[in-house]
Amino acid sequence: MNKALTSSFIVILGFHLSGTVTEPAIQSEPEATYKVAISFDRCKITSVTCGCGNRDIFYCAHVVALSLYRIRKPDQVKLRLPISETLFQMNRDQLQKFVQYLITAHHTEVLPTAQKLADEILSSNSEINQVHGAPDPTAGASINDENCWHLDEEQVREQVKLFLSQGGYYSSGKQLSSMFAKVREMLRMRDSNGARMLTLITEQFMADPRLALWRQQGTGMTDKCRQLWDELGALWVCIVLNPHCKHEEKACWLRQLKKWNDMDVCPLEDGNYGNDLPNITNALPQSNGHDSLVRPRRTVFTRAIEACDLHWQDSHLQRIISSDFYLSPACQRDGESLLFNSQGQPLWLEHVPTACARVDALRSHGYPKEALRLAVAIISTLRLQQQRQLEIYKQQKKELIQRNTTTITNLEGWVGHPLDPVGCLFTTLTEACHVDDENPMEVTESSESQRPNYQHVCVPNDSMENGESYLSLALEVALMGMGQQRLMPEGLYAQDKVCRNEEQIIGRLQELELDAVLVQTLRKQCILLLEGGPFSGLGEVIHRESVPMHTFAKYLFSALLPHDADLAYKLSLRAMRLPVLESSAPSGDVSHPHHIVSVVPSRYPRWFTLGHLESQQCELASTMLTAAKGDMLRLRTVLEAIQRNIHSSSLIFKLAQDAFKIATPADSSSDTTLLNVALELGLQVMRMTLSTLNWRRREMVRWLVTCATEVGVRALVSILQTWYTLFTPTEATSIVAAAATSHSTVLRLNLDYAQREELASCSRTLALQCAMKDPQNCALSALTLCEKDHTAFETAYQIAVDAASGGMTYSQLFTIARYMEHRGYPLRAFKLCSLAMSHLNLAYNQDTHPAINDVLWACSLSHSLGKNELAALVPLVVKSVHCATVLSDILRRCTLTAPGLAGIPGRRNSGKLMSTDKPPLRQLLDAAVGAYINTTHSRLTHISPRHYGEFIEFLSKARETFLLGQDGLLQFAQFIDNLKQIYKGKKKLMMLVRERFG
């Protein structure tokens, strides 16, 4: 409530509290007063009415204000007997006066009712006279009547319907979660409305129109929606496991659950529709395993239906939950017993998730002590099983390691399980250790993110080892559950849930302050997990389809590092593996022929969360690299683990970048050991991606050169010498060698002359090797890199010339030719131009081709070199270029200046302009005229009237070219006459031709 409400005129009449609540005026609203009435019975509010008219599942602010006033200021509230007692004390006159005054005060509202009642009372055979006494709304209920909190059922339906209709919004999900929390709160208060409210919620969930749509389309529901359905299913398990519910109640729930379960739209437990993969998740233990091949339809209600078969009558179970000191007699401890361990502590040998569901039910229904006792018995059982499995494994260890295969004893993983057994035990145990804050009512924004305050509370049972605390048991069971070797479940949702649940448990573990007692628990359990066989996901040999332990190991590494670094590294290095990517599926696991995994051994598992798992593997590696900074031996071990286990190049590149950043802090000198690790990882990435397409490749190559530069000149020399194992020829010349010989590298490494020469020499060798391997893409870079060494430069040039007749394109040859001219080698440039021209073919209509500029430049170059060079190039131009406008452009340029203006030593410039009637220009003129004639005929074949004007302009340009020859005028006149004759059918066009050209 954000406004100060005041209550007045408060009176309690029997079991009826009434009063007025005033809301003070605020800027936009005046003061408002509301009449509130509350009926109560045995400490519960059974009905409420308020003049505000606000409807909600929970009480309005005015009802809350009146209730709080009564609780905090009981002495200021008038107490009255129920109205029936007061009336009993009145004589006839007083009663008549009372009724008449009451009717007068409210005559508009009650007069019709009063008259109706009077008529019925005066009629001897009326229904009202058949009943003894009269109702009293202030008298409360009979002792045998059911008493439960007021619940506005219609409002519950409306709210749930509204929140579901806003399916995509975050706030609606939060609202529904808070409604589930309200159900749990009701259960804890043992309010019978809890189950009723959950029924109303479920009815609305089942009526959600999206269910039919999702089923029809075969698509999965949104993650948030799936989580809400899971919560719903788990809550029903909790409801039916109420240890004190009546048999009739349970039968009623079972009927209701089966009805929902049988509906087509009922969501399946694993989140899939129509998934026909074999089932690997059995809830409560089924029959032998063969039946599980035919996958039973398991909905979100299946576990609750199965839980209806469970009861609490077992005498051993009753003793466990009713006493902290239930132990076996000392004389029985020597013999094996299924009820107690060797210390005499009771065991509870039920399917673990089912046993944990019992714990959750006890806790949720307001039996916290009983829940704790059962949780302790479950942990004693898990310890014993862990111990026995370890003993069995030690006997088979040699054989298993030789075969390098193992089986998984857990058909159903506890992490990501619908009933969240690990989370349930952890919560039950830590709640017993929670230290309440001094001001629990004060909830500030910052306090939400503060870690809970826990203290060690000893387990009362004296025989628990070393007077253990519930807190150390909570840590132990979380480590046991997280470290359990388990199969990756089927389907995206189930796999995603494993990751999510894992992160939730780790989040809870990180809230624990690790003191000496908890560190001891941590070390002990980690050692057991490392030694463990099939029960441990951190054991020496694991099944290839086991859920990886990277996320868990990252937590363990950080927690153990300050206390036992050797154990932290040993454990995390073991966890680095990802067997599903490292090995092919086994040919068949014959040791457990009934085991479901063996049925489809060659199937590559559909691991939908593989990307996430690989990134978690990378996070673990990064955490170890960071911690190992400066420790050569540890870094080497971590590096080997990365190289052996990580199969994604982009993740190894990320690790290399991380290592580089940590190794080169801005405020201090570089760490050489870690820098070398970064380089080695970078080199691995180069080798991995050399023959595969990778969009980040260019970025990776540039980064590697930066890293090698940071390591030093020897690293640069090494990558230049072994370039062919790391880079493509283009990368090696254009990025690597160019950077190694750049001015910035010389300055960065402060290189002396000998070192500069060594890098330059290596770069030249690399350049020539690359030019030989890929001349098309590397010849130009090779020439650039070899500029300062005459022999190498000549070799590079010869490679380019030799390649010209092969795979070089005219574009590549023109580019190298321009470079040659720019460097002062015009004759070599001319040679390359001539070779380029032989690769080119310009059609008559390609007057905007990108090569035109190169052709014009080549002609200009040959013209500047002299008549001989121009004479050599013209036949090549005539052969390659059939575009009239380009040919006439070349011709015009050649007639403007005399050839031989390049100023080549030993050459004399004649100074005379060349004639178009003599070679070589005559050949060019004939080609241009011929091209205009051919193009004209081609254009006229398909010409439309809208292009006539454009065509006349084209003929004008043709005329200019014709006129460059001595007999040009006559030749053009003949050409026009010819056109008039051949195309006389195009009358309008020929009229235009006559108008312009006669």
Side-chain angles (χ1 to χ4, degrees):
M1 286 182 290
N2 54 4
K3 290 181 273 190
L5 304 180
T6 54
S7 303
S8 58
F9 308 113
I10 301 168
V11 64
I12 292 185
L13 196 60
F15 295 88
H16 189 82
L17 171 68
S18 58
T20 57
V21 175
T22 305
E23 240 182 79
I26 54 171
Q27 291 164 352
S28 58
E29 295 169 27
E31 183 180 276
T33 301
Y34 303 103
K35 288 182 178 179
V36 181
I38 301 172
S39 296
F40 53 91
D41 174 27
R42 284 164 279 182
C43 301
K44 292 186 178 75
I45 291 174
T46 55
S47 72
V48 299
T49 53
C50 178
C52 72
N54 291 342
R55 297 194 66 201
D56 200 349
I57 298 168
F58 313 120
Y59 310 137
C60 68
H62 314 110
V63 170
V64 174
L66 186 67
S67 306
L68 288 175
Y69 189 90
R70 163 67 184 86
I71 292 162
R72 288 173 181 169
K73 298 179 179 179
D75 51 325
Q76 292 181 30
V77 178
K78 292 176 188 172
L79 289 174
R80 295 274 187 273
L81 289 170
I83 194 71
S84 52
E85 293 291 326
T86 309
L87 294 174
F88 187 69
Q89 293 168 22
M90 294 182 186
N91 62 30
R92 194 202 167 286
D93 289 346
Q94 287 170 319
L95 282 169
Q96 182 160 5
K97 187 177 275 193
F98 173 78
V99 172
Q100 283 182 231
Y101 267 98
L102 185 65
I103 291 170
T104 304
H106 303 284
H107 69 277
T108 53
E109 292 126 83
V110 303
L111 199 54
T113 309
Q115 186 61 58
K116 180 174 170 282
L117 288 172
D119 291 347
E120 287 190 28
I121 287 168
L122 292 171
S123 167
S124 58
N125 59 352
S126 67
E127 195 177 332
I128 210 167
N129 283 323
Q130 310 304 314
V131 180
H132 232 46
D136 179 0
T138 64
S142 151
I143 194 73
N144 297 319
D145 287 355
E146 202 174 277
N147 71 318
C148 57
W149 295 95
H150 165 67
L151 180 71
D152 188 336
E153 296 191 358
E154 189 52 42
Q155 194 58 19
V156 172
R157 290 190 189 96
E158 287 301 315
Q159 290 276 38
V160 178
K161 197 173 180 179
L162 174 69
F163 295 143
L164 284 171
S165 70
Q166 301 168 344
Y169 297 105
Y170 170 71
S171 61
S172 60
K174 272 180 80 172
Q175 297 280 6
L176 288 164
S177 291
S178 77
M179 289 181 83
F180 289 140
K182 192 71 187 170
V183 171
R184 283 195 181 271
E185 192 186 320
M186 287 167 149
L187 299 183
R188 199 161 51 251
M189 303 296 290
R190 300 181 199 169
D191 177 0
S192 59
N193 271 327
R196 179 71 195 129
M197 184 162 165
L198 189 63
T199 304
L200 296 169
I201 293 171
T202 310
E203 281 168 355
Q204 292 308 309
F205 264 67
M206 288 301 294
D208 187 344
R210 292 174 300 169
L211 290 180
L213 196 68
W214 284 323
R215 181 178 167 75
Q216 202 179 339
Q217 295 171 344
T219 53
M221 56 179 77
T222 62
D223 269 8
K224 187 68 211 166
C225 208
R226 275 257 30 130
Q227 287 165 38
L228 289 167
W229 274 102
D230 280 355
E231 219 172 323
L232 190 70
L235 254 178
W236 272 112
V237 172
C238 203
I239 295 271
V240 303
L241 278 178
N242 179 349
H244 292 294
C245 74
K246 297 177 186 136
H247 180 72
E248 306 81 63
E249 276 181 304
K250 196 185 268 194
C252 179
W253 292 331
L254 182 60
R255 279 195 302 277
Q256 186 66 69
L257 287 164
K258 281 183 171 172
K259 190 180 105 185
W260 291 325
N261 182 76
D262 292 342
M263 289 167 75
D264 281 348
V265 294
C266 188
L268 302 182
E269 184 179 75
D270 62 4
N272 300 321
Y273 281 114
N275 184 349
D276 54 359
L277 289 167
N279 179 27
I280 56 164
T281 55
N282 295 317
L284 314 178
Q286 307 285 316
S287 55
N288 62 21
H290 288 296
D291 301 344
S292 63
L293 290 180
V294 179
R295 186 171 205 171
R297 179 175 177 269
R298 298 191 60 81
T299 75
V300 287
F301 300 115
T302 303
R303 288 180 193 270
I305 290 167
E306 289 167 341
C308 287
D309 293 337
L310 301 172
H311 60 81
W312 295 85
Q313 274 70 58
D314 184 278
S315 60
H316 180 57
L317 177 61
Q318 285 296 324
R319 289 192 186 108
I320 288 172
I321 63 176
S322 56
S323 167
D324 285 323
F325 303 99
Y326 172 45
L327 297 169
S328 73
C331 57
Q332 286 185 12
R333 290 183 195 176
D334 298 336
E336 287 265 318
S337 162
L338 288 175
L339 300 183
F340 303 93
N341 64 12
S342 56
Q343 286 87 43
Q345 297 156 331
L347 305 173
W348 182 242
L349 291 165
E350 191 171 34
H351 175 68
V352 174
T354 309
C356 295
R358 286 186 190 273
V359 173
D360 186 37
L362 287 167
R363 195 177 126 263
S364 301
H365 287 282
Y367 302 98
K369 284 185 179 151
E370 289 82 346
L372 266 176
R373 290 167 187 150
L374 183 54
V376 171
I378 292 168
I379 292 167
S380 298
T381 312
L382 292 177
R383 277 180 175 168
L384 184 65
Q385 287 171 346
Q386 193 180 44
Q387 201 180 323
R388 286 182 178 170
Q389 283 179 321
L390 189 57
E391 285 163 11
I392 295 164
Y393 170 65
K394 280 176 179 170
Q395 292 160 12
Q396 302 172 341
K397 188 175 177 181
K398 196 175 175 184
E399 181 196 345
L400 280 172
I401 290 171
Q402 275 175 348
R403 286 213 323 262
N404 199 33
T405 58
T406 185
T407 51
I408 293 181
T409 50
N410 309 305
L411 280 176
E412 191 175 52
W414 303 334
V415 175
H417 190 283
L419 299 174
D420 187 19
V422 180
C424 162
L425 292 178
F426 187 84
T427 304
T428 305
L429 293 158
T430 51
E431 272 182 0
C433 306
H434 201 274
V435 180
D436 288 329
D437 298 328
E438 287 178 20
N439 299 317
M441 296 297 282
E442 286 181 28
V443 179
T444 60
E445 282 184 27
S446 61
S447 68
E448 285 179 25
S449 58
Q450 287 174 355
R451 53 165 73 186
N453 195 1
Y454 294 120
Q455 64 183 11
H456 285 285
V457 175
C458 283
V459 181
N461 190 334
D462 290 332
S463 68
M464 274 312 258
E465 296 171 24
N466 312 322
E468 281 178 306
S469 81
Y470 289 123
L471 203 57
S472 60
L473 288 186
L475 175 62
E476 183 177 353
V477 80
L479 299 177
M480 242 186 232
M482 292 281 284
Q484 175 203 38
Q485 186 184 180
R486 52 197 185 270
L487 281 182
M488 181 60 80
E490 299 284 0
L492 169 60
Y493 179 71
Q495 291 176 19
D496 194 47
K497 199 165 156 188
V498 168
C499 302
R500 200 168 49 243
N501 193 204
E502 202 168 44
E503 280 157 14
Q504 284 165 350
I505 297 167
I506 287 170
R508 302 286 307 279
L509 285 171
Q510 285 166 334
E511 292 173 350
L512 301 178
E513 293 273 3
L514 291 178
D515 57 16
V517 175
L518 294 183
V519 168
Q520 188 185 354
T521 304
L522 181 69
R523 287 188 72 249
K524 183 181 167 190
Q525 193 53 233
C526 285
I527 290 163
L528 278 169
L529 287 170
L530 272 174
E531 290 175 352
F535 71 85
S536 168
L538 289 163
E540 213 162 330
V541 180
I542 55 170
H543 194 282
R544 80 182 283 266
E545 290 198 36
S546 291
V547 172
M549 295 280 132
H550 310 131
T551 314
F552 180 43
K554 188 183 156 197
Y555 160 75
L556 293 176
F557 182 80
S558 303
L560 277 170
L561 196 62
H563 312 288
D564 190 340
D566 285 342
L567 183 59
Y569 277 100
K570 188 178 180 187
L571 191 139
S572 300
L573 289 165
R574 171 78 60 82
M576 271 293 288
R577 62 203 167 175
L578 187 48
V580 77
L581 294 182
E582 287 155 23
S583 58
S584 56
S587 55
D589 190 348
V590 289
S591 56
H592 278 58
H594 70 273
H595 194 276
I596 194 66
V597 172
S598 311
V599 177
V600 277
S602 60
R603 173 178 67 83
Y604 184 81
R606 288 162 55 186
W607 283 38
F608 297 98
T609 53
L610 192 57
H612 170 78
L613 297 171
E614 285 188 283
S615 67
Q616 289 299 302
Q617 184 187 31
C618 175
E619 287 290 315
L620 173 61
S622 185
T623 306
M624 285 195 281
L625 279 178
T626 309
K629 182 179 175 180
D631 187 330
M632 179 83 79
L633 200 61
R634 291 232 200 269
L635 278 175
R636 179 56 46 191
T637 320
V638 176
L639 177 66
E640 284 167 7
I642 291 167
Q643 291 173 325
R644 187 170 60 251
N645 295 300
I646 297 185
H647 302 274
S648 159
S649 56
S650 56
L651 289 175
I652 297 176
F653 182 51
K654 183 189 178 298
L655 282 172
Q657 288 176 305
D658 288 352
F660 183 77
K661 272 184 204 155
I662 301 158
T664 53
D667 52 354
S668 60
S669 57
S670 299
D671 181 276
T672 318
T673 51
L674 195 51
L675 205 50
N676 276 301
V677 167
L679 180 65
E680 210 159 319
L681 288 171
L683 293 172
Q684 186 182 348
V685 172
M686 290 297 103
R687 287 190 284 268
M688 285 173 84
T689 56
L690 179 58
S691 55
T692 58
L693 287 171
N694 190 307
W695 63 274
R696 295 185 69 190
R697 176 78 188 169
R698 196 169 179 80
E699 178 199 350
M700 290 168 167
V701 174
R702 287 188 187 284
W703 178 87
L704 185 82
V705 177
T706 307
C707 184
T709 307
E710 198 64 37
V711 172
V713 71
R714 299 305 339 138
L716 276 176
V717 168
S718 172
I719 66 169
L720 289 169
Q721 289 176 340
T722 58
W723 71 267
Y724 45 87
T725 65
L726 306 166
F727 315 108
T728 64
T730 316
E731 291 166 348
T733 52
S734 64
I735 303 175
V736 185
T741 54
S742 69
H743 185 58
S744 61
T745 302
V746 172
L747 290 177
R748 177 79 189 87
L749 295 176
N750 195 17
L751 300 176
D752 58 29
Y753 177 76
Q755 289 171 322
R756 287 205 301 273
E757 275 307 297
E758 185 179 15
L759 280 178
S761 171
C762 288
S763 296
R764 287 193 294 270
T765 307
L766 171 150
L768 295 174
Q769 289 170 341
C770 292
M772 288 291 287
K773 199 171 175 69
D774 184 4
Q776 295 97 317
N777 297 309
C778 300
L780 184 59
S781 299
L783 286 163
T784 312
L785 288 163
C786 296
E787 272 173 9
K788 291 178 184 170
D789 184 284
H790 178 71
T791 313
F793 188 79
E794 289 299 318
T795 311
Y797 171 69
Q798 201 50 53
I799 291 169
V801 172
D802 292 346
S805 57
M808 288 278 231
T809 64
Y810 62 81
S811 172
Q812 289 163 334
L813 287 166
F814 276 131
T815 307
I816 298 167
R818 282 185 186 248
Y819 163 80
M820 278 296 182
E821 192 217 16
H822 179 66
R823 303 302 304 170
Y825 296 104
L827 287 170
R828 290 181 173 186
F830 170 71
K831 185 172 183 179
L832 289 164
C833 281
S834 305
L835 292 165
M837 288 303 294
S838 62
H839 288 269
L840 181 65
N841 184 23
L842 272 183
Y844 77 92
N845 56 353
Q846 290 182 297
D847 50 1
T848 57
H849 195 282
I852 291 171
N853 280 335
D854 288 320
V855 174
L856 294 174
W857 171 77
C859 293
S860 170
L861 172 69
S862 61
H863 183 265
S864 69
L865 288 173
K867 193 175 176 180
N868 296 340
E869 283 76 13
L870 185 60
L873 191 69
V874 165
L876 296 173
V877 171
V878 168
K879 188 180 175 192
S880 301
V881 180
H882 307 286
C883 183
T885 52
V886 176
L887 289 167
S888 60
D889 200 359
I890 296 167
L891 187 62
R892 197 165 289 101
R893 289 173 188 224
C894 289
T895 56
L896 290 176
T897 54
L901 297 176
I904 294 173
R907 279 275 177 95
R908 280 183 316 161
N909 177 10
S910 67
K912 289 179 186 173
L913 293 175
M914 294 177 75
S915 166
T916 54
D917 286 323
K918 292 179 183 172
L921 293 190
R922 180 74 214 186
Q923 195 180 354
L924 197 54
L925 175 63
D926 291 345
V929 167
Y932 269 115
I933 292 168
N934 291 336
T935 307
T936 300
H937 289 299
S938 296
R939 290 182 74 162
L940 283 169
T941 315
H942 302 292
I943 198 163
S944 66
R946 64 196 174 107
H947 292 127
Y948 285 176
E950 199 183 299
F951 177 72
I952 298 297
E953 289 309 310
F954 174 74
L955 283 184
S956 299
K957 281 186 183 171
R959 187 169 180 270
E960 288 168 20
T961 304
F962 273 78
L963 292 178
L964 289 172
Q966 280 185 348
D967 52 352
L969 196 59
L970 180 65
Q971 205 179 351
F972 184 70
Q974 286 174 344
F975 171 53
I976 292 296
D977 285 344
N978 249 352
L979 290 182
K980 289 178 201 167
Q981 196 61 36
I982 298 169
Y983 301 103
K984 58 186 175 191
K986 298 184 187 290
K987 289 176 184 169
K988 190 179 176 186
L989 179 58
M990 289 307 122
M991 187 182 79
L992 291 171
V993 170
R994 268 195 297 277
E995 277 176 14
R996 176 72 71 93
F997 305 109

